[in-house]
Amino acid sequence: MTNANLARDLEQILIQIQKASLPIYETLKQSLGEYTQNTNATGDTQLKADVAADEILQTTFKDLKIIKQICSEEQEHAIPLHKEGIYSIAYDPLDGSSLMGANLSVGSIFGIYQGDFLPHNLVASAYVVYGMVIGIGFASLLQEGVDYFVHNGKEFQLQKTLKLSHKGKLNATGGTQKNWSKFHKSKIESLFNAGYRLRYSGGMVPDLHHILVKGGGIFSYPSTSDAPQGKLRMLFEVFPFAFIFERAGGNAVCIQENPTQGEIEAKRLLELIPKHLHDTTPCFFGSQEEIKFVSES
Ligand code: AHG
Ligand code: MN
Ligand code: MN
């Protein structure tokens, strides 16, 4: 496929994401963070807004013939759309939805693949932040940096192309701290001792967007004693942001520890192969310097 054809297709997909973000934002404004009685494939109790956002996205993607299949955090299996389509889209319709009751920002996350859901097939990724305004970050193989669009009440306007400096100041880390490993605890403490500031809302979209906007720092969701494979899902959360951070000039790795030998292994996230659609992985996203620091024993 030529770059011109890829650019045309990605433009069409971005337009569908922009279109869907408007009714999703309206749903959020009318919602009080109510839960349903149902659980999703990961076992999370779904909010009404999770289900509504998923339905809006399914309908919006169905309109585009170039999409072969979609797969959502809220659905157990992938959904085939158009036989002649060439793109597969994996998405988290509403990320951080449990924060809605607290009136904090939430988001949507998209990984766009040419072919099947394998990280080396990623050609673009996007996120939507539903905050004071609707913001959309979009990265693709066709350009360096992350284009950040803001809805001005009428249309989406490109506000800035986000790039990461070699090193930043923010440190965002998740999971229950009493279940962190000694290694993770010591790395996080060293970052704070070196002057990093804690910024963690509990929604990965605003937390990672914050780092991108400030131009550097690190976000981590490590392996913990209660969740050795972490919490965040490869297809719906981790791969799209790994792609976005790499395109912004940073790095994204999985860190696993070998407790018997006291060694750690850091692997590029975009080289992991999921066995199942809902597999999770420990994950670290950041500027070059911070990722190098946490990747060393
Ligand atoms: P989701 O709402 O799609 O289930 O995802 C929530 C995720 C992510 O946004 C956030 O970084 C993480 O859960 C927070 O988890 P902890 O509260 O365990 O730190
Ligand atoms: Mn999520
Ligand atoms: Mn979600």
Side-chain angles (χ1 to χ4, degrees):
M1 168 175 296
T2 64
N3 280 356
N5 286 349
L6 179 61
R8 181 205 55 208
D9 291 352
L10 293 181
E11 169 89 28
Q12 287 188 47
I13 293 172
L14 176 59
I15 288 171
Q16 293 308 93
I17 292 173
Q18 290 176 337
K19 263 192 206 160
S21 72
L22 302 174
I24 293 177
Y25 196 49
E26 289 311 310
T27 303
L28 298 179
K29 286 196 262 178
Q30 284 159 31
S31 167
L32 299 169
E34 309 97 329
Y35 283 86
T36 65
Q37 306 275 321
N38 308 325
T39 51
N40 65 15
T42 326
D44 300 331
T45 304
Q46 293 173 311
L47 281 96
K48 285 185 181 167
D50 287 318
V51 178
D54 189 25
E55 283 172 5
I56 291 168
L57 287 163
Q58 275 186 44
T59 316
T60 315
F61 286 139
K62 244 180 227 161
D63 286 345
L64 206 53
K65 294 270 186 297
I66 54 171
I67 304 179
K68 176 171 104 166
Q69 57 177 342
I70 52 175
C71 108
S72 158
E73 184 188 85
E74 302 304 338
Q75 302 289 333
E76 192 164 353
H77 305 289
I79 302 173
L81 288 189
H82 302 286
K83 276 208 178 75
E84 68 279 25
I86 39 179
Y87 299 94
S88 300
I89 302 183
Y91 63 91
D92 180 351
L94 213 50
D95 177 74
S97 48
S98 67
L99 302 173
M100 281 174 61
N103 197 14
L104 290 170
S105 295
V106 296
S108 302
I109 310 171
F110 305 87
I112 300 153
Y113 300 79
Q114 214 172 59
D116 283 332
F117 297 112
L118 291 165
H120 52 263
N121 290 344
L122 268 172
V123 288
S125 291
Y127 61 85
V128 183
V129 201
Y130 309 97
M132 277 171 282
V133 292
I134 309 175
I136 299 188
F138 185 82
S140 82
L141 283 184
L142 298 174
Q143 83 168 80
E144 301 285 316
V146 181
D147 279 347
Y148 182 58
F149 302 86
V150 170
H151 195 259
N152 63 11
K154 284 191 184 145
E155 58 184 358
F156 282 96
Q157 272 185 331
L158 179 65
Q159 197 183 56
K160 209 178 166 190
T161 298
L162 307 172
K163 289 192 180 149
L164 292 168
S165 309
H166 190 66
K167 180 177 181 313
K169 291 182 184 151
L170 304 187
N171 186 11
T173 182
T176 308
Q177 298 188 13
K178 81 175 174 59
N179 298 330
W180 284 357
S181 68
K182 279 196 184 128
F183 172 78
H184 189 67
K185 213 172 253 177
S186 87
K187 287 290 179 185
I188 293 299
E189 254 173 40
S190 305
L191 288 167
F192 286 132
N193 291 339
Y196 283 78
R197 285 158 164 266
L198 174 67
R199 290 292 181 266
Y200 191 76
S201 74
M204 77 181 297
V205 175
D207 288 337
L208 285 165
H209 176 61
H210 196 173
I211 292 171
L212 289 164
V213 163
K214 294 283 161 68
I218 180 164
F219 174 101
S220 50
Y221 203 106
S223 160
T224 54
S225 56
D226 58 333
Q229 289 310 313
K231 173 184 181 187
L232 298 176
R233 289 143 282 223
M234 292 190 202
L235 284 183
F236 312 114
E237 294 157 328
V238 174
F239 289 162
F241 271 113
F243 183 89
I244 283 168
F245 268 64
E246 288 193 357
R247 298 312 294 164
N251 275 324
V253 295
C254 161
I255 296 179
Q256 294 281 14
E257 293 167 52
N258 181 334
T260 43
Q261 291 163 6
E263 279 173 9
I264 66 135
E265 192 196 0
K267 199 171 176 185
R268 186 170 166 247
L269 283 166
L270 292 180
E271 284 169 18
L272 301 179
I273 303 292
K275 288 201 179 78
H276 306 284
L277 294 181
H278 294 267
D279 280 355
T280 62
T281 179
C283 52
F284 295 69
F285 311 87
S287 334
Q288 303 267 341
E289 173 103 1
E290 288 83 351
I291 295 298
K292 184 169 173 280
F293 173 68
V294 295
S295 301
E296 290 163 356
S297 291

